[in-house]
């Protein structure tokens, strides 16, 4: 089974500073990669996805992530954060479960707190 | 025009009771899922249905029974609720293989007293 590791459980950062949230996964065989954001008391919202092609993917709200197959990483970055980016961020890997079914495995989450 | 909706949003009940959570998606997706998010925010897949057929059934107590009356609905029924069932339950849907990303509902916070 796949595993996803988010190395930092909490990341505090000052407003307008850059941020990187780290994500590593266990295998790159036929995987798709995602980042989701969860605001307090809400569901998960898709930030960006990597299915194939360019290893640098851009998402909503100014976020981007880079797929690195050799390092099995998919780190999330934003050059300048806002207070409104304060939320929990989840990295997820979709891998083939059986037949055409795919299963999504989540990391443990990173709480990003943007300080004024 | 909510894409994935769940009812109720909050559910407070006593141990031993039976309860249901409903999920509906209007995205035309064939595949739906139930996830459990525990108090440490860890998310784990419970079930997945494709076109009303169960395709993923993780290690979940058989007190949990999903039911899919049609491909737009996936309900979760829980018998004999226990304290450890307290969590937030999320429904999601997707349209693999072309669109594997999952769209999530707002969640149902279940509290068992």
């Amino acid at each position: 089974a796949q595993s996803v590791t988010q190395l930092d459980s909490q990341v505090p950062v000052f407003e307008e500073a850059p941020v990187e949230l780290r994500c590593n996964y266990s295998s790159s065989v036929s995987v798709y990669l995602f980042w989701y954001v969860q605001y307090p008391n809400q569901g998960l919202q898709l930030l960006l996805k990597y299915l194939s092609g360019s290893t640098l993917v851009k998402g909503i709200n100014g976020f981007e992530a880079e797929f690195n197959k050799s390092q099995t990483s998919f780190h999330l970055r934003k050059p300048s954060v806002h207070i409104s980016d304060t939320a929990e961020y989840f990295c997820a890997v979709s891998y083939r479960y059986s037949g055409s079914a795919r299963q999504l495995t989540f990391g443990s989450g990173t709480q990003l707190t943007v300080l004024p | 025009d909510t894409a994935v909706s769940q009812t109720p949003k909050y559910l407070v009940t006593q141990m031993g009771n039976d309860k249901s959570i409903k999920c509906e998606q209007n995205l035309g997706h064939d595949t739906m899922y139930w996830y459990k998010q525990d108090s440490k925010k860890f998310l784990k897949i419970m079930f997945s249905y494709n076109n009303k057929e169960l395709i993923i059934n993780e290690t979940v107590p058989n007190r949990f029974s999903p039911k899919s009356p049609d491909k737009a609905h996936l309900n979760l029924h829980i018998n004999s609720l226990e304290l450890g069932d307290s969590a937030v339950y999320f429904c999601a849907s997707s349209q693999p293989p072309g669109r594997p990303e999952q769209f999530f509902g707002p969640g149902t916070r279940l509290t068992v007293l």
Side-chain angles (χ1 to χ4, degrees), chain A residues 53-69:
Chain A
S54 173
T55 56
L56 182 64
V57 293
K58 294 191 183 298
I60 61 171
N61 301 341
F63 284 94
E64 63 181 32
E66 185 158 18
F67 169 58
N68 188 319
K69 187 173 181 178

Side-chain angles (χ1 to χ4, degrees), chain A:
Chain A
Q2 282 281 351
S3 65
V4 182
T5 303
Q6 290 184 243
L7 297 161
D8 306 301
S9 60
Q10 299 198 28
V11 173
V13 63
F14 287 105
E15 194 174 15
E16 297 183 9
V19 71
E20 178 180 81
L21 306 185
R22 296 180 292 169
C23 174
N24 287 87
Y25 54 94
S26 57
S27 170
S28 59
V29 175
S30 188
V31 294
Y32 300 143
L33 299 158
F34 306 89
W35 276 97
Y36 284 86
V37 60
Q38 185 178 27
Y39 298 103
N41 298 315
Q42 293 188 27
L44 279 77
Q45 181 182 1
L46 181 67
L47 267 182
L48 47 78
K49 62 185 178 185
Y50 172 80
L51 305 183
S52 65
S54 173
T55 56
L56 182 64
V57 293
K58 294 191 183 298
I60 61 171
N61 301 341
F63 284 94
E64 63 181 32
E66 185 158 18
F67 169 58
N68 188 319
K69 187 173 181 178
S70 61
Q71 297 187 7
T72 59
S73 67
F74 191 55
H75 300 332
L76 181 71
R77 301 186 184 100
K78 185 169 181 177
S80 175
V81 294
H82 304 291
I83 297 284
S84 59
D85 292 324
T86 294
E88 189 85 23
Y89 290 79
F90 292 95
C91 180
V93 173
S94 169
Y95 65 96
R96 196 175 303 280
Y97 180 79
S98 69
S100 61
R102 300 188 71 94
Q103 180 162 329
L104 200 60
T105 298
F106 284 88
S108 53
T110 297
Q111 171 66 42
L112 173 65
T113 302
V114 181
L115 307 165

